[in-house]
Amino acid sequence: MSKQYLTTHTIDGAHPTDIFSLAVTSKQIFSGSGSSSLKVHSTTDPDFPLSQSINGAHKLGCHHISASQDGGKVASVGFGGEVKVWVMDSQKQWVEDGQIVDGNKAGETWAIALSQDGQYLASTTYNGRINVWDTIANREKIREYETKGSFGLCIHLSVDGRFTACGHENGGVYIFNNDTGRMLHSLPGLVKPVRTIAFSPGGKLLAAAGDSKIIALYDVSSGEQVANLTGHSSWILSLDWSDTGEFLLSGAFDGKAKVWSIDQRTCVATHTETDKSLWSVKWLPKTGRSEGFATAGANRSISFYREATGG
């Protein structure tokens, strides 16, 4: 089986520098780059017009953005170490709701992930610690997990909020139980830096990838590695599951985006819009029967794809 996706639109020069992160809400897509502004584009219009530019959001640029699945909250991290939480006001504009402050310095917070309802924010650090914050209760730290001291490059929370997973520079992949505050699994299989990690929507599988150029799939309950998805020929920088969990989207250092069938454990589509790094790839909210996704990276543009079949 193969699937065909068509490029429906590209926003050229969406940012003046590399776009490092994308985050999707029900009707919008956020982008952050090496410049100080966050951009918000509408995903309900086929031209993906700019809805808002949050100027001066991060003085030194932004390296990670995360949106809660319910779309009510967005968090972003700047290269200066500041972590900002954004909510929509009555005028349908995103405004700063506050900052996560913990003597933050550059590298103290790297990758971030918001829970489904936006209440909890998990973050990695340069020395392997994992912090979990309550964004509502005075933005206090409520959990701190220890790993083996290697830079935490990526993090994700399961949809039900029970588990935190993180990937590290030394190839380490860990799953923590947020209820007990204990490590559930230390997962084998990836010896090179793990740059992206993602729970499936149902929470049964965890996908992890990075410099090893393979996508490892793990069973969350047992910790067993159940599959390797091979086909990328360069570092894998970004992963995102489709809403149903049927497909996994990946973006790589060589500019290739791939769509994988989880049932068949095979690649069903490959797209090369650019030969420059894809720092972030995201599925878009479904419209009708067809699925679409967005890619962004070192070419400073955001490209939108839509499945060729379906209404």
Side-chain angles (χ1 to χ4, degrees), residues 15-68:
H15 288 259
T17 60
D18 284 30
I19 299 168
F20 294 118
S21 191
L22 297 172
V24 173
T25 68
S26 59
K27 295 180 177 176
Q28 294 178 317
I29 185 166
F30 274 71
S31 54
S33 71
S35 64
S36 62
S37 298
L38 300 179
K39 299 290 177 73
V40 188
H41 287 86
S42 169
T43 55
T44 58
D45 186 303
D47 291 332
F48 301 95
L50 183 68
S51 304
Q52 186 180 352
S53 181
I54 307 174
N55 297 323
H58 294 283
K59 197 172 172 184
L60 302 178
C62 167
H63 52 76
H64 283 89
I65 310 177
S66 179
S68 62

Side-chain angles (χ1 to χ4, degrees), residues 113-124:
L114 276 169
S115 62
Q116 181 176 18
D117 61 1
Q119 180 168 1
Y120 300 107
L121 177 75
S123 64
T124 67

Side-chain angles (χ1 to χ4, degrees), residues 11-287:
I11 303 169
D12 290 316
H15 288 259
T17 60
D18 284 30
I19 299 168
F20 294 118
S21 191
L22 297 172
V24 173
T25 68
S26 59
K27 295 180 177 176
Q28 294 178 317
I29 185 166
F30 274 71
S31 54
S33 71
S35 64
S36 62
S37 298
L38 300 179
K39 299 290 177 73
V40 188
H41 287 86
S42 169
T43 55
T44 58
D45 186 303
D47 291 332
F48 301 95
L50 183 68
S51 304
Q52 186 180 352
S53 181
I54 307 174
N55 297 323
H58 294 283
K59 197 172 172 184
L60 302 178
C62 167
H63 52 76
H64 283 89
I65 310 177
S66 179
S68 62
Q69 200 167 12
D70 68 5
K73 199 170 280 186
V74 171
S76 57
V77 192
F79 283 99
E82 71 284 352
V83 185
K84 295 188 176 184
V85 179
W86 309 90
V87 294
M88 195 175 267
D89 67 11
S90 58
Q91 308 297 311
K92 304 286 188 193
Q93 292 290 293
W94 291 91
V95 294
E96 188 179 325
D97 189 45
Q99 296 194 29
I100 303 282
V101 180
D102 181 39
N104 286 0
K105 53 187 183 291
E108 181 66 24
T109 299
W110 186 249
I112 55 169
L114 276 169
S115 62
Q116 181 176 18
D117 61 1
Q119 180 168 1
Y120 300 107
L121 177 75
S123 64
T124 67
T125 65
Y126 66 94
N127 62 5
R129 284 175 297 110
I130 305 300
N131 296 316
V132 183
W133 316 84
D134 189 325
T135 67
I136 295 172
N138 298 320
R139 293 182 281 280
E140 288 175 0
K141 189 192 293 185
I142 56 169
R143 286 253 186 259
E144 185 169 317
Y145 299 124
E146 293 287 340
T147 64
K148 293 191 173 141
S150 173
F151 198 122
L153 294 171
C154 52
I155 194 162
H156 199 231
L157 287 165
S158 61
V159 172
D160 61 11
R162 287 181 60 208
F163 302 112
T164 300
C166 53
H168 296 259
E169 197 171 28
N170 63 359
V173 176
Y174 304 97
I175 300 177
F176 295 93
N177 184 319
N178 293 331
D179 294 332
T180 63
R182 295 176 181 275
M183 186 185 289
L184 185 66
H185 300 298
S186 173
L187 302 172
L190 294 168
V191 292
K192 294 181 178 177
V194 179
R195 298 184 183 273
T196 178
I197 199 161
F199 284 103
S200 64
K204 289 186 168 61
L205 294 174
L206 178 73
D211 293 12
S212 61
K213 305 173 190 173
I214 62 166
I215 301 169
L217 291 182
Y218 300 95
D219 181 287
V220 172
S221 58
S222 69
E224 285 181 37
Q225 189 170 342
V226 294
N228 273 340
L229 305 180
T230 59
H232 275 294
S233 55
S234 69
W235 299 353
I236 300 165
L237 304 175
S238 184
L239 293 172
D240 194 38
W241 291 85
S242 65
D243 270 353
T244 59
E246 291 175 87
F247 299 102
L248 187 66
L249 175 65
S250 59
F253 190 71
D254 60 1
K256 284 189 171 60
K258 289 181 179 285
V259 177
W260 306 82
S261 163
I262 297 305
D263 281 349
Q264 298 177 14
R265 305 283 201 255
T266 56
C267 176
V268 293
T270 301
H271 285 274
T272 312
E273 189 72 19
T274 172
D275 58 1
K276 294 190 165 81
S277 309
L278 292 181
W279 292 112
S280 191
V281 295
K282 286 283 178 200
W283 289 101
L284 296 169
K286 206 165 181 178
T287 57

